[in-house]
Amino acid sequence: MNIANHARTALLAVALFSAATAQADVLSFSGTASALATGFPDPTCAPLLFRQSVAPGAGSGTSSLGNFAYTSTTCVTAGGPVSGIFAINFANDGFLGTLNGTTSPASTPGVFIPDFTYAILSGTGRFLGASGTFQGTGSIDPRVPPSRLSLNFNGQINAPAVPEPATWSMMLLGFGAAGWSMRRRQTVRPIAAA
């Protein structure tokens, strides 16, 4: 193999492995959500008194990462502790986890102020393997069922290194080019001396 073939193969290898490198990212997450939540007494929530659910289609929001659908199921005591699970789904991906916190009475009688901490446990797509926390504040108005939630989110998401589609394309091209280059190599046979 001559020097030109070595150089071409080396350049292909550099392009291939530089395309494969993806950096983990810390994403800032801020936004707002509005939701309708249904509640009912639930003894399985003891010592808390009620279960409150935001069903699929009943919550939506907008954020620094795009528009999303919001769902949650929590055990609550009005003006007290809250614990449960949540999911935030974008068009093609999302993340989910637990939420814990409290609600306290607002200046308007019957309205409550949430102070929730959301812990991300897993995700899909660009959030596959994600972690992180964000805060949720705003208002909860249960005076006329279903309860109306207005939430403001702020925090960070630790997104793992997931190659973008363009990176996968570059890697496949690199593999193809390396294979093509290897097939085109001609075997050099030593000439026998007479």
Side-chain angles (χ1 to χ4, degrees):
M1 181 155 81
N2 64 28
I3 293 177
N5 284 340
H6 280 299
R8 187 174 29 241
T9 303
L11 284 173
L12 286 171
V14 168
L16 177 66
F17 290 111
S18 66
T21 305
Q23 297 295 320
D25 227 351
V26 176
L27 305 173
S28 183
F29 178 64
S30 60
T32 60
S34 298
L36 299 176
T38 56
F40 53 91
D42 187 348
T44 64
C45 280
L48 305 179
L49 301 177
F50 298 95
R51 182 171 303 278
Q52 190 172 52
S53 294
V54 176
S60 63
T62 184
S63 75
S64 55
L65 302 175
N67 295 335
F68 60 87
Y70 174 83
T71 58
S72 67
T73 300
T74 56
C75 290
V76 302
T77 298
V82 176
S83 66
I85 58 173
F86 78 95
I88 289 182
N89 291 303
F90 299 89
N92 298 313
D93 48 24
F95 49 85
L96 54 91
T98 60
L99 71 94
N100 290 286
T102 60
T103 60
S104 56
S107 57
T108 303
V111 176
F112 297 92
I113 299 170
D115 184 10
F116 299 157
T117 299
Y118 292 80
I120 300 168
L121 301 179
S122 66
T124 60
R126 65 185 157 154
F127 304 111
L128 188 65
S131 63
T133 60
F134 59 96
Q135 296 301 119
T137 58
S139 68
I140 300 172
D141 187 350
R143 294 177 294 177
V144 177
S147 297
R148 284 156 178 72
L149 282 69
S150 295
L151 298 168
N152 302 308
F153 300 127
N154 194 15
Q156 293 185 326
I157 300 170
N158 300 312
V162 177
E164 296 290 329
T167 302
W168 285 109
S169 299
M170 190 124 171
M171 288 169 53
L172 289 173
L173 273 171
F175 282 126
W180 179 79
S181 175
M182 291 172 68
R183 284 186 60 93
R184 293 221 359 116
R185 264 193 267 168
Q186 294 182 1
T187 306
V188 178
R189 297 177 192 245
I191 299 174

